[in-house]
Amino acid sequence: MTTPFPFTAVVGQDDLRLALLLNAVSPAVGGVLVRGEKGTAKSTAVRALSALMPALDVVSGCRFSCDPAAPDPGCPDGPHEPGVSETRPARMVELPVGASEDRLVGALDIERALAEGVKAFEPGLLADAHRGILYVDEVNLLHDHLVDLLLDAAAMGASYVEREGVSVRHAARFLLVGTMNPEEGELRPQLLDRFGLTVEVAASREPDQRVEVVRRRLAYDDDPAGFTARWADEEAAVRERITAARELLPSVRLGDGALRQIAATCAAFEVDGMRADIVMARTATALAAWAGRTDVLAEDVRQAALLALPHRRRRNPFDAPGLDEDRLDQTLEEFAGDDEDPEPDPDTDPGGPDDGGGGGGPAPDAGGPDDAAGADAGAPPEAGADGQPEDSPAAGAGAGAGAGERSAVRAAEPFRTKVLSVPGIGEGAAGRRSRARTEHGRTTGARRPRGALTKLHLAATVLAAAPHQRARGRSGRGLVVRRDDLRQATREGREGNLVLFVVDASGSMAARQRMSAVKGAVLSLLLDAYQRRDKVGLVTFRGSAAEVALPPTSSVDAAAVRLESLPTGGRTPLAAGLLRAHDVLRVERLRDPARRALVVVVTDGRATGGPDPVALAGRAARLFAAEGVASVVVDCESGPVRLGLAGRLAGELGGTAVTLDELRAESIAGLVRDVQGASVAPSASTVSTSRRAA
């Protein structure tokens, strides 16, 4: 068994350690979501926490870790005989990103349930994690239906497994800890709210601290057992402090003054619902117990707010979590009650081990790969009027960052768009955009199972077994069912797609008011992609070339950052933009062949540079049409005289054109729902899907 890195040997990360310890003291706080860049000891700290958790008394032989002092009356392994118990360490169970639903909640043997009436249940990870820690690394990449299941279990303290009228329930109370890198995509706001606390972590920029991190890690790798032994005393001290805080917790008093401060703080930051108030109250109580006090002080309320509110105050998905500490202090001072407790003992440490304190606020911006995307945003524009023709020498010289480039402009206010969807039925990753065959959704038919049965189609199973009852010697009331009779339900739901934006950033788009509107439209579509769990990519073209501003990613936030910093100017290499987008799709098909694409071209349709650029763009567009790629052209042409080039491009693509005004008026849904429609022959995948449906 691998020796975990000692919790007390983690350098820095005071807020992370404090949040984990508070949940160890009071699991009712609701768990921790740890957000941060890669390589910041997120997983190391979480795995190290399990060694500090107090040992558990469990019923001997119980697969569900029942407490012998109060066994679960509904335990599938019960009823339990009194006095049969053992002591074991608390478990830390890891949920893999690619786990199945049965692996999470457990599996029922449907064949035995139908034929013998026996509830043969194989426990899942939720049962293993009962009274311990359930750790989800990269929780933002977990499928939505699995996230819903584990958060429901965390909220109710129990897991329910339902299979065609056969039901099993068992207790599932655990400390839920999730880690994520925001660059890889965000959690939905309603799921963020289900985590009690959140912590932002970043690597230290202090050389001395970084040296100490490397020194300790190398020492641990050379001799894990010896390194752990050197930290045994510190580990034992923290373990004893957790036990003492747990015993003190019921005696902690949460006065009316502290409650008023909690309520006023949640109201001041306009968080939704009442969960934030409850979590803050539990966190403040745990902070007092951790500090060895029986009264909750204003400093406990402040620390609780810094841990419990940042992820709940996001007003839209592109807002970074955070809290205005000046406003927080003002609110706490304004609502300080007359029954305020005395000043705390200066020797009392409310923070984690190593006297780290715990500011609890968002980690300072440590930069990252996206910072480079904004390098051009502050560059001064080249001399020249906004109305300068793009074919002039100043506008057309050089590629991407050549002469004639104008600095980036801010996007207009985003607005709500209607759904853009890919026609046909896919089989891609679960999401909320296009129709697809999925594990969850409405039942549309039945088939023989390809492996373990997960969703039984009862009527089809009975029909398959009925003709063989006499030959199988049926004599009683029960149905004689064999493995070959079982039928898997086929279901139709929604999938997430790859939405690839191809944005014209040339001189013809450079008028500031116009480009601001274009960016606002694309930002609105990005917001829609976030809500529908899509991957997004961004290709831009200007000057004499096109570039992939953002490879396909689940981080819609990163796409929004790249869009904001996008400068404009130069010629219009439309063909180059389309060909680059075609290459992106080709590579992405190899990585994720089941995910279908929707290409959104944002342009006025003009093409310049080289011999016959319009014809060249048409040939590039026909590549998409030949492969059956769904597409829509957002026509950005403005002014009294319009050439209609964007509409012609849409025809070459086999898609639909919609003006920027129509997009802003939220009237695009009917135009793009079947973007290929009758104008393009269905692709091979569409044909095969239609035949299977028939």
Side-chain angles (χ1 to χ4, degrees), residues 390-391 543 571-579 605-622 645 648-649:
E390 64 169 348
D391 290 332
R571 295 183 184 274
T572 311
L574 177 56
L578 295 175
L579 291 174
R606 301 187 185 191
T608 60
D612 205 354
V614 175
L616 186 61
R619 287 197 296 271
R622 287 192 289 273
L645 296 175
R648 188 184 308 172
L649 175 64

Side-chain angles (χ1 to χ4, degrees), residues 166-293:
V166 181
S167 176
V168 173
R169 173 215 164 271
H170 65 82
R173 293 183 296 275
F174 47 82
L175 168 56
L176 178 62
V177 182
T179 58
M180 59 176 284
N181 182 352
E183 293 178 0
E184 297 172 339
E186 286 282 0
L187 279 174
R188 302 196 311 266
Q190 59 268 40
L191 299 184
L192 278 172
D193 185 58
R194 298 298 291 270
F195 283 93
L197 309 179
T198 188
V199 178
E200 291 279 332
V201 296
S204 172
R205 297 301 184 253
E206 292 295 328
D208 291 342
Q209 194 171 65
R210 295 176 74 96
V211 166
E212 185 61 24
V213 170
V214 175
R215 182 181 291 120
R216 293 187 186 182
R217 185 70 211 189
L218 293 178
Y220 170 78
D221 291 341
D222 290 341
D223 183 10
F227 182 83
T228 303
R230 290 197 293 273
W231 290 87
D233 292 342
E234 289 83 351
E235 293 281 287
V238 174
R239 192 179 299 109
E240 292 173 1
R241 188 174 175 183
I242 291 174
T243 301
R246 282 188 171 189
E247 294 173 353
L248 183 62
L249 187 65
S251 303
V252 175
R253 183 181 70 90
L254 184 65
D256 289 343
L259 279 173
R260 279 195 298 271
Q261 287 182 316
I262 290 171
T265 301
C266 292
F269 286 99
E270 300 180 349
V271 296
D272 296 329
M274 295 297 298
R275 183 175 284 118
D277 303 63
I278 297 171
V279 171
M280 273 191 65
R282 290 172 174 167
T283 304
T285 303
L287 279 163
W290 176 249
R293 289 186 268 100

Side-chain angles (χ1 to χ4, degrees), residues 144-523:
D144 287 350
H145 68 280
L146 294 182
V147 176
D148 292 340
L149 286 171
L150 72 89
L151 290 178
D152 285 344
M156 296 185 297
S159 175
Y160 294 85
V161 183
E162 303 281 349
R163 293 289 188 274
E164 302 296 339
V166 181
S167 176
V168 173
R169 173 215 164 271
H170 65 82
R173 293 183 296 275
F174 47 82
L175 168 56
L176 178 62
V177 182
T179 58
M180 59 176 284
N181 182 352
E183 293 178 0
E184 297 172 339
E186 286 282 0
L187 279 174
R188 302 196 311 266
Q190 59 268 40
L191 299 184
L192 278 172
D193 185 58
R194 298 298 291 270
F195 283 93
L197 309 179
T198 188
V199 178
E200 291 279 332
V201 296
S204 172
R205 297 301 184 253
E206 292 295 328
D208 291 342
Q209 194 171 65
R210 295 176 74 96
V211 166
E212 185 61 24
V213 170
V214 175
R215 182 181 291 120
R216 293 187 186 182
R217 185 70 211 189
L218 293 178
Y220 170 78
D221 291 341
D222 290 341
D223 183 10
F227 182 83
T228 303
R230 290 197 293 273
W231 290 87
D233 292 342
E234 289 83 351
E235 293 281 287
V238 174
R239 192 179 299 109
E240 292 173 1
R241 188 174 175 183
I242 291 174
T243 301
R246 282 188 171 189
E247 294 173 353
L248 183 62
L249 187 65
S251 303
V252 175
R253 183 181 70 90
L254 184 65
D256 289 343
L259 279 173
R260 279 195 298 271
Q261 287 182 316
I262 290 171
T265 301
C266 292
F269 286 99
E270 300 180 349
V271 296
D272 296 329
M274 295 297 298
R275 183 175 284 118
D277 303 63
I278 297 171
V279 171
M280 273 191 65
R282 290 172 174 167
T283 304
T285 303
L287 279 163
W290 176 249
R293 289 186 268 100
T294 56
D295 290 303
V296 173
L297 306 181
E299 67 182 59
D300 299 323
V301 176
R302 184 182 192 278
Q303 182 68 68
L306 292 172
L307 293 172
L309 297 187
H311 61 304
R312 292 187 166 90
R313 64 162 300 276
R314 294 178 63 186
R315 307 317 298 174
N316 77 63
F318 301 142
D319 290 340
L323 214 61
D324 184 341
E325 296 194 33
D326 291 336
R327 184 180 179 189
L328 173 61
D329 291 336
Q330 181 181 355
T331 302
L332 293 176
E333 183 177 353
E334 180 181 353
F335 287 89
D338 296 334
D339 59 342
E340 182 66 26
D341 296 288
E343 289 296 320
D345 185 349
D347 295 331
T348 301
D349 173 24
D354 297 339
D355 296 328
D365 185 6
D370 289 344
D371 292 347
D376 293 336
E382 295 289 338
D386 283 345
Q388 179 179 352
E390 64 169 348
D391 290 332
S392 68
E405 179 180 298
R406 294 172 172 83
S407 59
V409 297
R410 295 189 61 84
E413 190 69 21
F415 53 89
R416 184 176 180 83
T417 67
K418 294 183 181 179
V419 63
L420 311 175
S421 62
V422 179
I425 301 178
E427 296 182 350
R432 297 188 170 188
R433 183 171 296 277
S434 304
R435 294 171 59 198
R437 292 186 179 88
T438 61
E439 289 294 320
H440 298 268
R442 63 185 183 90
T443 300
T444 59
R447 60 170 173 80
R448 292 181 183 274
R450 306 187 192 109
L453 180 71
T454 56
K455 300 291 183 181
L456 177 72
H457 195 296
L458 184 59
T461 299
V462 172
L463 287 174
H468 307 291
Q469 296 305 295
R470 183 175 297 177
R472 294 172 182 173
R474 174 187 171 188
S475 58
R477 299 177 59 186
L479 190 67
V480 181
V481 179
R482 300 286 186 262
R483 174 69 183 174
D484 290 343
D485 301 328
L486 299 179
R487 295 294 183 269
Q488 174 85 22
T490 58
R491 304 194 175 197
E492 183 179 308
R494 294 281 168 176
E495 67 177 1
N497 298 115
L498 166 60
V499 181
L500 182 60
F501 293 93
V502 185
V503 180
D504 184 349
S506 66
S508 65
M509 303 281 290
R512 289 183 175 272
Q513 185 175 0
R514 184 177 176 193
M515 196 60 195
S516 176
V518 169
K519 286 188 175 183
V522 178
L523 192 64

Side-chain angles (χ1 to χ4, degrees), residues 116-134:
E116 305 173 26
V118 176
K119 291 184 180 180
F121 179 65
E122 184 65 29
L125 295 176
L126 291 180
D128 293 341
H130 179 46
R131 304 177 67 199
I133 302 171
L134 182 62

